[in-house]
Amino acid sequence: MDVFDNLAAGIMAVLTPGNMLLLLAGVMLGMIVGVMPGLGPSAGLAILLPLTFTMDPTGAVVMLAAVYYGAMYGGTITSVLINTPGESATVASTFDGYPLAKAGRAGPALVMAAVGSFVAGTVGAILISVAAPVTASVAATFGPPELFLVVVLGLLTLVVIIGGNRLLGALSALIGFAIATVGIDIGTGQQRYTFGSVELINGIDFIPVAIGLFGVGEILHTLWRGGHLEKLGYFNVSARSRGFWPNKKDYKESAGPIARGSLLGFFVGATPGAGATVASLMSYNLEKSVSRTPEKFGKGAMAGLAGPEAANNAASSGAMVPLLTLGIPGSASTAVLIGGFMMWGLQPGPLLMEQNPEFAWGLIASMYLGNVMLLLVNIFCIPAFASIARVPFRVLGPVIIVVCVLGTFTVNGSIIEVGIMLACGVLGFFMRRFGLNPAALVIALVLGPMAEESLRQTLIISGGSFDIFLERGTSQVLLAAMVVMLALPLAGKGIKKASSTAMARVGRKRRDDTDVDANAGEDREHDKVGSA
Amino acid sequence: MNRKWTAAAAAVSGMVLTLSACGGGADGTSAGGDYPSEDMDWTIAFGPGGGNDIMARTMVDILQKNDLYPENIVVENKEGGSGATGWGYLFGQSGTGYGISTTSGSFITTPLQADTGWEPTDFTPVGLMAADYALLMTAGDGEWSTYDEWVEYAKSKGTVAVGGIGTVNVDYIVQQMVADANGYKIDYVPYNEEGQMQTSLLSGAIDAMISNPGSIMGQIEGGQMNALLFTGPERLDALADVPTAEEEGISDIPSMPRGLILPPDAPEEAQQWWIDTMKEVVTTPEWQDYLDENYLLKDEKWGEDFTAYLDDTQSSFEEQLTELGAL
């Protein structure tokens, strides 16, 4: 087939020793950048972009694709180990990744995330090769109404995250929405809550808030609990030990989430504006909905890490579709890339693939190879990263705070943002102390402005009528998806109820049997979850 | 802001791009005196890859290749506050001749929108080198592919939904001026990102939008979008069929300044050195290539003429945006 010839040619073009070195360097640089809290893929690309201006386009794009993936994965490492997402796309990875690390399973969590990313990246590269034109035509039907609905799908995650304590959860989300209103109002050009400060006219960025709430907040809370006095239950993380690699059950539990996350991520990633953050949150939401053991989510469910990780990685491949086929940047990272295209003398647009096939397919091939390289590098690096968990808290805590300050400052060189970060650290401590939900706040902060902007654009277009959501084809599909997503957990509850009654009936029949049988029944149920 | 900190952070992030120009003195450009004798601190008020960044790096590249600046030029992106941070930093270097920055549209609009503490006219002008003009765009599959067809459609519909970047921006002014000239009404939909606006147009959510030739030429060539009207003084070679606003009877559409500024109260010697040097830069083939690739029109105004231009442009912006209720 033509696409496979093209892909093979692309891979051949990329497989030169020089390019492989660039790929390796890119992955390593990306990971280093990504491990800094606050610096995610888009910041990594922006920082390293000027270095590529003198390279040939293929070499440059090989390196940048590697940086992109490396940084994405680097963000996962901090999310899992120190509960600090490097960018909004890895917020969902903290929900179950950090509990896993706390339970001494940092190694399996990081390996599973790398495997999930690798599979998703591969699926993404294949989907780009075969489904780019179709996906692009779908992406081109996305106007403000559709974007709004996708963001609302992401916001549904709030329901899942908030869980039991509705009042405090809703309060947390409202604080997030409130922080999101700071800055210039896109609709009227007026300033909101900036108090005349120039630094605030672009709003309060998600990064300092997330670093403060998660990173610093967690440290303060651990101190308050007396965590620095506790003797660490050392766990061995060397690559040879059995506990380092994911076990069979982990793989089984993650297979479904990775597959679903890859597909979901790719298509959500292809829609301009929504991207990896919404994809990862939707994936988390979906996995909890379909899981037979939703109560494990948030307490260290492998599925809750593998799904979002696969989704955010597939989304970054998906974001390449509008970039390559329509010349439209769908995310912050691809917007930086498009700047790069122009510096390398390429004209972004629908003709890019036709006019520069070796470049476009080289990019796709380098995404594929970047994932392979990432997996290889990580097999060697994860033991080192995971050993962070062995460092006593009285040493690790201060180091994390320094890294948080440095990371925040590096993004924009703004001391005000460092102040915001530290203030959010204190806020994060009190939120934990009083049972509020920092994750809900951050999700509201990231998605709130997108929801507001797209809804206002929609209503300007429709003259204030909500009928516009029912008139446009893609909107109708999205509304239907939303209904399904809302109905799934309810249906799931029904199924669970039915199955537990059935189990109870079996149990009654076997009342005379031993307890061992009952345990066996439970094990079977776990297996079903994995293969679901 | 503490400079040491900035430098340290920049080194950590690898953002510093040090370019050593190893030429022999300033003999090519005889401004006299001992300027320049120090490294140049070149601020880009936006992130890498954007229009302002590309222009600045092109200039630095030309200065370096032709050994025009005898010392090092240290380029640093200082984004934030729609340019307020970067230009604020330059404003803080008042009195020296060793800070420099490139300007773009936000140089005019950001001070209108927020209390930045500086005005465009506060800075020491080097010059305007090019101006950014806009295109009125529609989707390629629409029933209207020319300006006349568009006007007819818009008039028959009465009110059309049109897009642009931001509210306090030239895009809004252009849309309103075209509508006023033809007697139709607009619902102006402001966007934050070019990408979202483009898909919005393709999806049929909005009827028309404003864009710059540099960022949209690929879509036009691919037949995905139509260019209807160009706001520049003469037609673009690449779009010879697209009429200018002037030809359609709409005059005085503002443009966006692409120029170069020094800190306030920079020494006269430094200002003169840069004016002389940039006059040389704009004659290089590399500069012409940059203008061609980005579809910018040559528009040169040096020294005080540039300040006067900034002053005029800003007051006409303020007047028009106030009229529209955006300010």
Side-chain angles (χ1 to χ4, degrees):
Chain A
M1 237 176 104
D2 199 27
V3 281
F4 291 109
D5 289 349
N6 281 330
L7 186 59
I11 290 176
M12 290 317 285
V14 172
L15 273 180
T16 65
N19 282 342
M20 293 317 282
L21 277 178
L22 284 175
L23 201 61
L24 181 65
V27 167
M28 299 294 282
L29 277 172
M31 273 175 64
I32 292 167
V33 168
V35 169
M36 287 292 283
L39 299 184
S42 60
L45 286 178
I47 290 165
L48 297 169
L49 184 66
L51 299 180
T52 67
F53 287 158
T54 51
M55 296 181 183
D56 78 291
T58 309
V61 87
V62 163
M63 175 149 154
L64 288 184
V67 168
Y68 192 112
Y69 285 113
M72 196 74 137
Y73 188 71
T76 305
I77 295 173
T78 53
S79 293
V80 171
L81 293 179
I82 60 172
N83 200 24
T84 304
E87 97 123 39
S88 53
T90 51
V91 169
S93 307
T94 63
F95 301 160
D96 279 290
Y98 185 62
L100 276 166
K102 272 210 289 201
R105 307 204 67 223
L110 288 175
V111 174
M112 218 53 242
V115 170
S117 301
F118 168 72
V119 173
T122 310
V123 170
I126 293 170
L127 283 176
I128 285 198
S129 317
V130 297
V134 184
T135 316
S137 62
V138 174
T141 64
F142 266 69
E146 289 76 22
L147 184 56
F148 175 70
L149 292 176
V150 169
V151 173
V152 170
L153 282 173
L155 279 172
L156 284 179
T157 316
L158 280 175
V159 180
V160 174
I161 298 299
I162 288 170
N165 198 333
R166 294 210 179 88
L167 179 66
L168 291 180
L171 186 61
S172 312
L174 285 176
I175 297 173
F177 285 126
I179 296 177
T181 58
V182 175
I184 287 179
D185 164 28
I186 176 78
T188 61
Q190 301 301 311
Q191 296 181 49
R192 300 190 294 202
Y193 308 112
T194 58
F195 306 103
S197 161
V198 173
E199 296 259 358
L200 291 178
I201 64 173
N202 277 2
I204 293 180
D205 194 15
F206 141 85
I207 286 169
V209 175
I211 294 177
L213 282 183
F214 288 102
V216 177
E218 181 72 28
I219 300 282
L220 294 178
H221 191 248
T222 310
L223 278 176
W224 179 79
R225 278 196 294 113
H228 56 299
L229 302 173
E230 285 168 18
K231 276 244 184 294
L232 267 185
Y234 283 110
F235 58 94
N236 202 340
V237 281
S238 95
R240 255 156 293 168
S241 75
R242 279 186 58 199
F244 175 76
W245 299 103
N247 56 33
K248 234 176 165 177
K249 191 166 144 249
D250 293 330
Y251 280 108
K252 236 175 180 177
E253 277 180 12
S254 306
I258 289 175
R260 284 187 291 269
S262 301
L263 291 175
L264 179 77
F266 182 79
F267 291 104
V268 175
T271 63
T277 309
V278 175
S280 60
L281 290 171
M282 278 171 74
S283 163
Y284 189 80
N285 201 353
L286 177 70
E287 291 316 321
K288 193 171 175 182
S289 305
V290 300
S291 171
R292 289 286 186 88
T293 53
E295 68 281 356
K296 281 196 182 167
F297 276 68
K299 296 184 188 113
M302 200 54 97
L305 173 67
E309 268 304 306
N312 75 29
N313 223 313
S316 40
S317 312
M320 296 289 171
V321 172
L323 181 70
L324 289 175
T325 54
L326 304 170
I328 292 174
S331 67
S333 308
T334 44
V336 175
L337 271 184
I338 232 175
F341 285 10
M342 289 159 103
M343 285 303 277
W344 306 322
L346 297 166
Q347 168 83 68
L351 300 179
L352 181 78
M353 278 183 107
E354 246 171 74
Q355 289 170 349
N356 306 283
E358 74 294 343
F359 169 80
W361 288 100
L363 172 60
I364 294 168
S366 64
M367 288 163 57
Y368 187 82
L369 294 173
N371 276 297
V372 177
M373 187 67 84
L374 190 63
L375 192 67
L376 290 178
V377 167
N378 273 302
I379 286 170
F380 294 104
C381 287
I382 286 173
F385 283 122
S387 61
I388 287 174
R390 288 158 77 190
V391 178
F393 183 78
R394 66 194 146 75
V395 176
L396 188 62
V399 171
I400 293 177
I401 293 196
V402 169
V403 168
C404 286
V405 169
L406 200 60
T408 310
F409 185 78
T410 314
V411 181
N412 288 324
S414 158
I415 210 77
I416 290 198
E417 289 195 340
V418 174
I420 291 173
M421 189 275 288
L422 292 173
C424 286
V426 176
L427 179 66
F429 166 71
F430 283 106
M431 289 184 80
R432 279 178 179 73
R433 172 87 182 74
F434 296 109
L436 275 86
N437 194 325
L441 190 160
V442 166
I443 293 172
L445 173 61
V446 174
L447 298 183
M450 287 160 87
E452 187 203 350
E453 188 187 322
S454 53
L455 180 61
R456 290 180 70 166
Q457 288 165 346
T458 305
L459 294 180
I460 294 175
I461 292 166
S462 72
S465 158
F466 284 91
D467 293 348
I468 189 169
F469 292 112
L470 296 170
E471 286 159 7
R472 292 165 61 94
T474 313
S475 289
Q476 293 165 353
V477 174
L478 288 168
L479 277 175
M482 206 181 288
V483 172
V484 171
M485 283 194 71
L486 284 173
L488 256 183
L490 296 177
K493 233 177 238 168
I495 293 169
K496 216 186 306 159
K497 213 173 174 185
S499 71
S500 65
T501 0
M503 290 284 277
R505 216 177 299 133
V506 175
R508 266 201 301 279
K509 262 188 197 164
R510 294 197 192 170
R511 190 153 287 167
D512 300 331
D513 289 351
T514 56
D515 285 342
V516 183
D517 272 338
N519 287 340
E522 240 176 72
D523 276 347
R524 268 204 303 282
E525 206 190 351
H526 278 303
D527 290 352
K528 264 182 246 155
V529 174
S531 53
Chain B
M1 193 180 298
N2 191 323
R3 277 204 59 187
K4 217 193 254 169
W5 263 109
T6 314
V12 166
S13 62
M15 246 188 234
V16 172
L17 182 68
T18 309
L19 302 160
S20 0
C22 37
D27 39 47
T29 49
S30 53
D34 54 1
Y35 187 92
S37 59
E38 287 176 34
D39 287 358
M40 201 72 195
D41 183 355
W42 193 303
T43 300
I44 302 175
F46 294 87
N52 194 312
D53 182 71
I54 293 177
M55 173 170 69
R57 287 178 195 277
T58 308
M59 284 180 182
V60 172
D61 205 38
I62 295 172
L63 289 168
Q64 182 201 17
K65 271 192 188 137
N66 299 294
D67 296 339
L68 292 172
Y69 194 79
E71 306 292 328
N72 291 335
I73 301 177
V74 181
V75 180
E76 203 178 333
N77 295 87
K78 278 192 179 40
E79 44 177 328
S82 300
T85 308
W87 290 315
Y89 172 73
L90 189 72
F91 186 74
Q93 290 170 295
S94 187
T96 90
Y98 294 101
I100 198 162
S101 183
T102 35
T103 70
S104 50
S106 302
F107 190 57
I108 305 261
T109 53
T110 302
L112 286 179
Q113 226 169 346
D115 185 14
T116 48
W118 49 263
E119 290 295 323
T121 48
D122 290 342
F123 292 87
T124 307
V126 174
L128 177 75
M129 272 135 262
D132 240 346
Y133 293 96
L135 285 168
L136 180 67
M137 306 290 308
T138 55
D141 56 3
E143 297 143 48
W144 46 88
S145 55
T146 66
Y147 179 69
D148 292 337
E149 284 169 20
W150 160 254
V151 169
E152 202 178 309
Y153 164 80
K155 277 165 115 172
S156 70
K157 206 176 167 198
T159 305
V160 286
V162 295
I165 298 292
T167 309
V168 180
N169 196 1
V170 70
D171 292 11
Y172 191 9
I173 297 175
V174 172
Q175 289 285 20
Q176 192 63 51
M177 284 177 86
V178 175
D180 286 348
N182 293 298
Y184 64 85
K185 284 194 165 50
I186 56 168
D187 283 330
Y188 179 77
V189 186
Y191 289 83
N192 270 327
E193 284 162 37
E194 176 88 20
Q196 280 173 30
M197 179 167 68
Q198 289 180 13
T199 40
S200 213
L201 181 72
L202 293 178
S203 81
I206 51 174
D207 300 311
M209 68 171 201
I210 296 291
S211 192
N212 291 316
S215 51
I216 207 77
M217 201 55 88
Q219 270 78 8
I220 300 172
E221 282 170 7
Q224 218 169 52
M225 294 183 192
N226 296 318
L228 306 181
L229 189 72
F230 182 56
T231 65
E234 55 200 81
R235 293 186 183 203
L236 284 172
D237 291 340
L239 298 170
D241 300 339
V242 179
T244 67
E246 198 87 47
E247 291 167 24
E248 298 295 337
I250 310 166
S251 51
D252 298 326
I253 291 191
S255 62
M256 290 297 199
R258 291 199 179 260
L260 202 59
I261 48 167
L262 296 169
D265 306 318
E268 208 168 297
E269 189 194 7
Q271 185 190 13
Q272 200 52 49
W273 189 93
W274 277 100
I275 291 176
D276 293 343
T277 307
M278 291 315 290
K279 280 182 177 167
E280 227 173 290
V281 166
V282 295
T283 60
T284 59
E286 292 98 325
W287 183 254
Q288 195 54 50
D289 287 347
Y290 163 75
L291 293 180
D292 292 346
E293 272 166 30
N294 293 281
Y295 305 95
L296 296 171
L297 292 181
K298 203 168 215 165
D299 194 347
E300 285 160 22
K301 293 186 170 62
W302 302 102
E304 292 314 312
D305 290 347
F306 181 35
T307 305
Y309 163 88
L310 288 172
D311 202 20
D312 280 356
T313 309
Q314 198 183 27
S315 36
S316 77
F317 262 56
E318 194 164 7
E319 197 181 301
Q320 281 165 311
L321 288 168
T322 310
E323 211 171 284
L324 291 172
L327 282 178

mmCIF file of all heavy atoms in Angstrom, chain A residues 182-200:
data_model
loop_
_atom_site.group_PDB
_atom_site.id
_atom_site.type_symbol
_atom_site.label_atom_id
_atom_site.label_comp_id
_atom_site.label_asym_id
_atom_site.label_seq_id
_atom_site.Cartn_x
_atom_site.Cartn_y
_atom_site.Cartn_z
ATOM 1 N N VAL A 182 -9.385 35.246 35.921
ATOM 2 C CA VAL A 182 -8.417 36.338 35.964
ATOM 3 C C VAL A 182 -7.825 36.565 34.570
ATOM 4 O O VAL A 182 -7.563 35.606 33.843
ATOM 5 C CB VAL A 182 -7.280 36.025 36.970
ATOM 6 C CG1 VAL A 182 -6.207 37.097 36.927
ATOM 7 C CG2 VAL A 182 -7.838 35.884 38.373
ATOM 8 N N GLY A 183 -7.646 37.809 34.223
ATOM 9 C CA GLY A 183 -7.004 38.128 32.941
ATOM 10 C C GLY A 183 -7.931 38.902 32.025
ATOM 11 O O GLY A 183 -9.007 39.333 32.435
ATOM 12 N N ILE A 184 -7.499 39.099 30.781
ATOM 13 C CA ILE A 184 -8.316 39.841 29.832
ATOM 14 C C ILE A 184 -9.445 38.971 29.333
ATOM 15 O O ILE A 184 -9.233 37.842 28.895
ATOM 16 C CB ILE A 184 -7.464 40.363 28.673
ATOM 17 C CG1 ILE A 184 -6.608 41.519 29.180
ATOM 18 C CG2 ILE A 184 -8.331 40.829 27.515
ATOM 19 C CD1 ILE A 184 -5.708 42.109 28.155
ATOM 20 N N ASP A 185 -10.646 39.481 29.431
ATOM 21 C CA ASP A 185 -11.809 38.766 28.952
ATOM 22 C C ASP A 185 -11.816 38.831 27.429
ATOM 23 O O ASP A 185 -11.868 39.910 26.846
ATOM 24 C CB ASP A 185 -13.049 39.434 29.555
ATOM 25 C CG ASP A 185 -14.307 39.030 28.829
ATOM 26 O OD1 ASP A 185 -14.325 37.926 28.269
ATOM 27 O OD2 ASP A 185 -15.254 39.830 28.835
ATOM 28 N N ILE A 186 -11.745 37.652 26.812
ATOM 29 C CA ILE A 186 -11.631 37.606 25.352
ATOM 30 C C ILE A 186 -12.851 38.243 24.680
ATOM 31 O O ILE A 186 -12.745 38.857 23.627
ATOM 32 C CB ILE A 186 -11.415 36.141 24.865
ATOM 33 C CG1 ILE A 186 -11.392 36.036 23.335
ATOM 34 C CG2 ILE A 186 -12.451 35.198 25.414
ATOM 35 C CD1 ILE A 186 -10.109 36.457 22.730
ATOM 36 N N GLY A 187 -14.013 38.146 25.315
ATOM 37 C CA GLY A 187 -15.231 38.660 24.697
ATOM 38 C C GLY A 187 -15.265 40.169 24.573
ATOM 39 O O GLY A 187 -15.657 40.705 23.543
ATOM 40 N N THR A 188 -14.845 40.876 25.598
ATOM 41 C CA THR A 188 -15.001 42.327 25.582
ATOM 42 C C THR A 188 -13.672 43.071 25.653
ATOM 43 O O THR A 188 -13.645 44.290 25.500
ATOM 44 C CB THR A 188 -15.835 42.788 26.798
ATOM 45 O OG1 THR A 188 -15.133 42.396 27.996
ATOM 46 C CG2 THR A 188 -17.198 42.129 26.799
ATOM 47 N N GLY A 189 -12.578 42.355 25.940
ATOM 48 C CA GLY A 189 -11.300 43.039 26.062
ATOM 49 C C GLY A 189 -11.105 43.706 27.402
ATOM 50 O O GLY A 189 -10.110 44.370 27.626
ATOM 51 N N GLN A 190 -12.066 43.517 28.310
ATOM 52 C CA GLN A 190 -11.923 44.116 29.638
ATOM 53 C C GLN A 190 -11.029 43.249 30.523
ATOM 54 O O GLN A 190 -10.955 42.040 30.334
ATOM 55 C CB GLN A 190 -13.299 44.236 30.315
ATOM 56 C CG GLN A 190 -14.283 45.080 29.545
ATOM 57 C CD GLN A 190 -13.798 46.494 29.315
ATOM 58 O OE1 GLN A 190 -13.355 47.154 30.239
ATOM 59 N NE2 GLN A 190 -13.863 46.958 28.067
ATOM 60 N N GLN A 191 -10.402 43.898 31.526
ATOM 61 C CA GLN A 191 -9.598 43.129 32.470
ATOM 62 C C GLN A 191 -10.456 42.657 33.629
ATOM 63 O O GLN A 191 -11.307 43.396 34.103
ATOM 64 C CB GLN A 191 -8.462 43.989 33.025
ATOM 65 C CG GLN A 191 -7.483 44.400 31.966
ATOM 66 C CD GLN A 191 -6.354 45.220 32.541
ATOM 67 O OE1 GLN A 191 -5.746 44.856 33.526
ATOM 68 N NE2 GLN A 191 -6.086 46.346 31.914
ATOM 69 N N ARG A 192 -10.206 41.416 34.048
ATOM 70 C CA ARG A 192 -10.952 40.894 35.190
ATOM 71 C C ARG A 192 -9.966 40.521 36.305
ATOM 72 O O ARG A 192 -9.039 39.760 36.078
ATOM 73 C CB ARG A 192 -11.731 39.649 34.780
ATOM 74 C CG ARG A 192 -12.724 39.924 33.660
ATOM 75 C CD ARG A 192 -13.653 38.773 33.427
ATOM 76 N NE ARG A 192 -12.987 37.586 32.938
ATOM 77 C CZ ARG A 192 -13.609 36.614 32.267
ATOM 78 N NH1 ARG A 192 -14.903 36.708 32.025
ATOM 79 N NH2 ARG A 192 -12.955 35.558 31.863
ATOM 80 N N TYR A 193 -10.172 41.042 37.470
ATOM 81 C CA TYR A 193 -9.392 40.698 38.677
ATOM 82 C C TYR A 193 -7.883 40.787 38.467
ATOM 83 O O TYR A 193 -7.143 39.972 38.984
ATOM 84 C CB TYR A 193 -9.756 39.296 39.162
ATOM 85 C CG TYR A 193 -11.236 39.100 39.342
ATOM 86 C CD1 TYR A 193 -11.942 38.245 38.518
ATOM 87 C CD2 TYR A 193 -11.909 39.804 40.330
ATOM 88 C CE1 TYR A 193 -13.308 38.084 38.674
ATOM 89 C CE2 TYR A 193 -13.275 39.650 40.490
ATOM 90 C CZ TYR A 193 -13.967 38.785 39.656
ATOM 91 O OH TYR A 193 -15.311 38.633 39.813
ATOM 92 N N THR A 194 -7.429 41.749 37.665
ATOM 93 C CA THR A 194 -5.985 41.875 37.493
ATOM 94 C C THR A 194 -5.423 42.927 38.448
ATOM 95 O O THR A 194 -4.222 43.007 38.623
ATOM 96 C CB THR A 194 -5.617 42.284 36.060
ATOM 97 O OG1 THR A 194 -6.263 43.523 35.787
ATOM 98 C CG2 THR A 194 -6.057 41.250 35.055
ATOM 99 N N PHE A 195 -6.294 43.730 39.034
ATOM 100 C CA PHE A 195 -5.892 44.783 39.971
ATOM 101 C C PHE A 195 -4.768 45.637 39.385
ATOM 102 O O PHE A 195 -3.836 46.023 40.076
ATOM 103 C CB PHE A 195 -5.467 44.177 41.322
ATOM 104 C CG PHE A 195 -6.529 43.292 41.903
ATOM 105 C CD1 PHE A 195 -6.417 41.922 41.835
ATOM 106 C CD2 PHE A 195 -7.671 43.853 42.461
ATOM 107 C CE1 PHE A 195 -7.420 41.110 42.337
ATOM 108 C CE2 PHE A 195 -8.672 43.032 42.968
ATOM 109 C CZ PHE A 195 -8.540 41.662 42.913
ATOM 110 N N GLY A 196 -4.868 45.875 38.085
ATOM 111 C CA GLY A 196 -3.898 46.747 37.432
ATOM 112 C C GLY A 196 -2.545 46.110 37.177
ATOM 113 O O GLY A 196 -1.644 46.758 36.669
ATOM 114 N N SER A 197 -2.368 44.855 37.532
ATOM 115 C CA SER A 197 -1.061 44.229 37.348
ATOM 116 C C SER A 197 -0.875 43.734 35.916
ATOM 117 O O SER A 197 -1.702 42.995 35.391
ATOM 118 C CB SER A 197 -0.900 43.048 38.309
ATOM 119 O OG SER A 197 0.131 42.205 37.859
ATOM 120 N N VAL A 198 0.229 44.180 35.300
ATOM 121 C CA VAL A 198 0.514 43.761 33.929
ATOM 122 C C VAL A 198 0.773 42.263 33.860
ATOM 123 O O VAL A 198 0.420 41.585 32.908
ATOM 124 C CB VAL A 198 1.738 44.545 33.397
ATOM 125 C CG1 VAL A 198 2.164 44.003 32.055
ATOM 126 C CG2 VAL A 198 1.409 46.014 33.299
ATOM 127 N N GLU A 199 1.386 41.740 34.920
ATOM 128 C CA GLU A 199 1.727 40.311 34.944
ATOM 129 C C GLU A 199 0.479 39.428 34.878
ATOM 130 O O GLU A 199 0.561 38.267 34.512
ATOM 131 C CB GLU A 199 2.502 39.972 36.233
ATOM 132 C CG GLU A 199 3.841 40.678 36.332
ATOM 133 C CD GLU A 199 4.995 39.766 35.963
ATOM 134 O OE1 GLU A 199 4.740 38.594 35.664
ATOM 135 O OE2 GLU A 199 6.136 40.237 35.986
ATOM 136 N N LEU A 200 -0.642 39.981 35.275
ATOM 137 C CA LEU A 200 -1.843 39.152 35.344
ATOM 138 C C LEU A 200 -2.738 39.282 34.117
ATOM 139 O O LEU A 200 -3.757 38.613 34.042
ATOM 140 C CB LEU A 200 -2.650 39.487 36.608
ATOM 141 C CG LEU A 200 -2.009 39.066 37.938
ATOM 142 C CD1 LEU A 200 -2.881 39.500 39.106
ATOM 143 C CD2 LEU A 200 -1.774 37.566 37.990
#
